[in-house]
Amino acid sequence: MNPTADKYFLDAPQWQEELIQLRKIVLSSQLTEMIKWGVPCYVFQESNVVLLGSFKAFCSISFFKGSLMNDANGILAKPGENSQTVRMIKFTHSDQIRELEPIIKAYILEAIEIEKTGAKPILDKSAELAFPAELLQILDQDAAFKAAFKALTPGRQRGYNLFFTAAKQPATRITRIEKYRQQILDGKGINDCTCGLSKKMPSCDGSHKAIR
């Protein structure tokens, strides 16, 4: 148990009981508790294995290399349609956690064993990002902007790309790119608040003005 993580669980605006239950389960394993990205992250020999999260509709336990797990019980889900490696179990009631506790513990042990082997998920190359022409043109015209965008993590690049390509009109895509230019130059993702934390995370209360 990491004392610095206590505040997260004490201040959780929702799913507090469920998150505390999940914390106890994870702490019964060999993992070390840390706070990363403003949420509890559980590590095995410096490698991220498990993450706890709180969302409006559910709380969750996520496995960084969940795509390599057997999931004999069919309870792992992708966080999003573009997720390749992370898998999560969603909960909406403490009773669900109590019923699944033995399975959750088994899944955590499996995730640790995967980490011990050094196995790495094979990414689907067909899922590589296809950037819109407008973004490619702006990147070619602005070396500093191009360097900043390329320096973003793949997940942050994907987040921006999904937002930019969702616009149907070229003019709208350009407007969106220009709106986020400074945020990209600052090395922040589309959901990062100016406080440095994701606005999706409960540790950021949303009172910080985001660059939009």
Side-chain angles (χ1 to χ4, degrees):
M1 183 178 294
N2 186 336
T4 61
D6 292 343
K7 190 175 186 300
Y8 173 88
F9 295 95
L10 292 173
D11 295 346
Q14 55 186 348
W15 310 114
Q16 185 182 58
E17 179 183 349
E18 289 80 5
L19 288 167
I20 291 174
Q21 282 181 273
L22 290 171
R23 184 190 195 191
K24 290 179 180 178
I25 292 173
V26 180
L27 287 176
S28 68
S29 69
Q30 308 170 39
L31 301 178
T32 300
E33 185 176 60
M34 303 179 71
I35 289 291
K36 293 188 178 183
W37 310 287
V39 297
C41 181
Y42 298 85
V43 176
F44 178 77
Q45 295 181 353
E46 300 185 358
S47 295
N48 301 324
V49 178
V50 171
L51 196 74
L52 298 185
S54 176
F55 302 86
K56 287 184 179 180
F58 60 88
C59 64
S60 66
I61 178 170
S62 298
F63 298 86
F64 282 87
K65 294 183 180 178
S67 61
L68 295 179
M69 296 172 64
N70 292 324
D71 190 21
N73 297 277
I75 56 177
L76 294 180
K78 289 185 175 183
E81 60 178 317
N82 295 296
S83 301
Q84 293 202 52
T85 62
V86 176
R87 298 291 184 271
M88 64 164 50
I89 308 174
K90 301 177 182 179
F91 303 98
T92 56
H93 199 281
S94 58
D95 288 343
Q96 293 174 300
I97 299 174
R98 278 190 285 270
E99 291 173 5
L100 289 175
E101 182 171 345
I103 295 174
I104 298 170
K105 287 182 176 180
Y107 275 39
I108 293 172
L109 291 177
E110 181 185 356
I112 293 172
E113 289 303 313
I114 289 173
E115 204 58 51
K116 287 180 179 179
T117 66
K120 295 183 178 180
I122 299 176
L123 300 180
D124 181 5
K125 292 186 177 180
S126 65
E128 290 181 356
L129 299 182
F131 298 120
E134 295 78 16
L135 176 60
L136 292 175
Q137 183 176 0
I138 292 173
L139 291 175
D140 286 341
Q141 294 173 349
D142 190 331
F145 183 62
K146 182 176 183 178
F149 188 83
K150 294 297 184 182
L152 294 173
T153 62
R156 284 179 169 144
Q157 288 186 22
R158 185 176 298 277
Y160 279 119
N161 196 54
L162 288 172
F163 180 66
F164 295 154
T165 55
K168 295 181 179 180
Q169 300 298 324
T172 306
R173 289 194 287 271
I174 292 173
T175 299
R176 289 185 176 188
I177 294 168
E178 291 301 329
K179 271 191 174 183
Y180 281 90
R181 175 185 290 272
Q182 190 56 53
Q183 190 155 327
I184 292 171
L185 288 171
D186 291 340
K188 298 181 183 298
I190 195 168
N191 289 309
D192 289 344
C193 187
T194 53
C195 67
L197 299 173
S198 171
K199 291 176 289 177
K200 290 183 176 180
M201 300 299 183
S203 53
C204 175
D205 61 11
S207 62
H208 304 278
K209 185 178 179 182
I211 301 174
R212 287 292 184 183

